[in-house]
Amino acid sequence: YLAATRTGIFAGRGAGYRRVGTWLLPAAALLDALENALHWWLTEVPRFGMPLVYATSAGCAWLKWLLIIGFLLMCAWAAARERD
């Protein structure tokens, strides 16, 4: 969040680009917290036969990493465009 709002990396980009870049990492952190909560609940006692909960936890992890990679790609693209 701070990298997107306090540095000039997205300064030359449009408002929508900056808005998306600003909220990608906080959204990833929220998904990480949800994944952790599900893992804590699943490992508190053995909970087998709950495929939807396991799938939800795995989906949260997948989306978290997708958002992090998306943020890194947006930063790289913005930095490359800044040099032009």
Side-chain angles (χ1 to χ4, degrees), residues 29-53:
L30 181 64
L31 288 167
D32 187 44
L34 181 57
E35 176 197 3
N36 289 341
L38 289 170
H39 281 167
W40 289 330
W41 184 76
L42 287 167
T43 58
E44 180 183 13
V45 295
R47 298 182 199 270
F48 301 109
M50 304 188 81
L52 185 59
V53 179

Side-chain angles (χ1 to χ4, degrees), residues 1 9 15 27-28 41 44 49 56 68 73:
Y1 180 81
I9 191 78
W41 184 76
E44 180 183 13
T56 302
I68 292 169
L73 290 174

Side-chain angles (χ1 to χ4, degrees), residues 9-10 13 17 71-82:
I9 191 78
F10 295 143
R13 305 299 101 186
Y17 193 91
F71 179 79
L72 293 174
L73 290 174
M74 286 181 74
C75 288
W77 188 79
R81 299 292 292 177
E82 188 174 288

